[in-house]
Amino acid sequence: MNLVSIRLITDNIHQLVTFYEHLTGIEPTWSTPDFAELTTPSATLAIGSTRTVPLFAPGSARPADNHTAIIEFHVPDVDATYARLRATVTDFVNEPTTMPWGNRSLLLRDPDGNLINLFTPITEQALAKFA
């Protein structure tokens, strides 16, 4: 088994796709007006409109209702990324902080309230994990 993507469901697909495009610097691929993907070397962030939910099962997903998952992006320099995003991101949970497991991390929320962790490994052990 291989994790290939995470999908977010939203009421405002253009706002959320634009947010992640700015955050990551990755140009989205739009399959339809209701579905876009931002593909990284390791996985894909898929974003679907609430209009896609009935294709799976009506009511099976609710937008802006995530309280358990954190979407994580490995970035080259979390402090530089924070400095770049401060002008446009309005919902930071913390400033860059060094975690006990060796990553320097920044938590923020997307426009739907989903938690995002941007991190840079800084200890030998953490660097080795992502080498």
Side-chain angles (χ1 to χ4, degrees):
M1 187 178 299
N2 185 23
L3 177 65
V4 295
S5 75
I6 299 288
R7 183 177 313 186
L8 300 175
I9 298 296
T10 183
D11 282 329
N12 191 335
I13 190 165
H14 292 284
Q15 178 187 33
L16 205 58
V17 170
T18 299
F19 173 86
Y20 280 100
E21 180 179 14
H22 175 71
L23 180 78
T24 64
I26 298 168
E27 187 173 335
T29 302
W30 289 86
S31 298
T32 74
D34 289 321
F35 186 79
E37 295 177 308
L38 292 97
T39 303
T40 74
S42 58
T44 297
L45 178 62
I47 303 172
S49 163
T50 49
R51 291 181 294 272
T52 65
V53 174
L55 299 172
F56 296 101
S60 61
R62 293 185 307 267
D65 195 30
N66 171 26
H67 298 284
T68 60
I70 301 173
I71 303 163
E72 297 190 303
F73 292 95
H74 177 227
V75 299
D77 182 341
V78 73
D79 292 285
T81 302
Y82 176 58
R84 177 179 66 84
L85 295 174
R86 286 180 66 186
T88 56
V89 173
T90 59
D91 198 353
F92 288 101
V93 176
N94 68 356
E95 294 182 355
T97 304
T98 301
M99 298 297 173
W101 46 89
N103 292 335
R104 191 144 170 82
S105 295
L106 170 66
L107 280 176
L108 59 120
R109 292 188 186 276
D110 72 17
D112 279 2
N114 298 301
L115 271 174
I116 302 165
N117 179 37
L118 306 178
F119 72 94
T120 302
I122 60 170
T123 64
E124 276 188 47
Q125 184 178 7
L127 287 163
K129 181 178 178 181
F130 294 99

